[in-house]
Each structure stands twice: as structure tokens, then as C-alpha cells.
Amino acid sequence: MQCRSCGTEIAGKAIVCYRCGASTTDPVRRPAPVRARRSPLLSLAAAALLVLLALYLGQASRTAADPGPLQLTAGVLAAAAVVLLVVRMVRRR
Ligand SMILES: [Zn+2]
């Protein structure tokens, strides 16, 4: 690799030229990390999906031979939906 400033042959891994001190790479300016803003609709959709799933499981548990696990799952899903909505409301402020 050749120094871009003085043309001296330098090691390929060199960050700066040993002769003139010129850097071999352009300064990398990293943009400030942009916080990935989650779409508010996304969590809302997820909560709606959980509620629907809970309703479905609740319905299915009526006809199931052993409704216990289904009802438990439905309850957990409904709780998760509530938590999701609460977290969403809290974060908005
Ligand atoms: Zn140089």
C-alpha cells in the first residue's frame, strides 16, 4: 500500500504513514446512534393479536377435553397483552 500523501510504501495494515503521518483511511465519522423508534402501531397490533389468540384459546378450551392448559395459556396471553399496552402507555410520556 502506498501513502496517499507522500507515496511511501507502507504496510497494508498501517493506519498512518510512518514517514509523514498521514492517515491511510478517511476518518470514519459515526453518526449518533439513532434510537430505533418502534412503530406504535406495532405494539398495538401485537397486543391485539395476543387478545385475539387469548379469545381463540378461551373458545377452544370450551370444547377441549382438558381445558386447563388452554385456559392457562389464554390467561397468560391476555396478561401479556395488558402488560404490552401498559408498557406502551408508560413509555409514551
Ligand atoms: Zn506518507
Side-chain angles (χ1 to χ4, degrees):
M1 173 160 86
Q2 267 196 336
C3 171
R4 291 188 303 178
S5 181
C6 66
T8 305
E9 189 65 30
I10 50 176
K13 285 180 188 169
I15 297 165
V16 294
C17 170
Y18 67 87
R19 199 172 220 184
C20 70
S23 66
T24 58
T25 55
D26 288 315
V28 179
R29 192 174 282 212
R30 289 188 175 220
V34 179
R35 248 203 217 175
R37 267 210 314 171
R38 289 212 309 170
S39 160
L41 275 176
L42 196 73
S43 53
L44 201 65
L49 201 73
L50 285 174
V51 168
L52 282 176
L53 216 62
L55 285 175
Y56 169 78
L57 284 175
Q59 201 73 21
S61 72
R62 285 187 196 173
T63 53
D66 181 15
L70 282 176
Q71 280 176 341
L72 186 73
T73 311
V76 168
L77 285 176
V82 169
V83 167
L84 210 67
L85 286 174
V86 168
V87 166
R88 180 168 170 262
M89 279 192 280
V90 168
R91 278 196 183 159
R92 266 206 162 169
R93 278 173 219 164

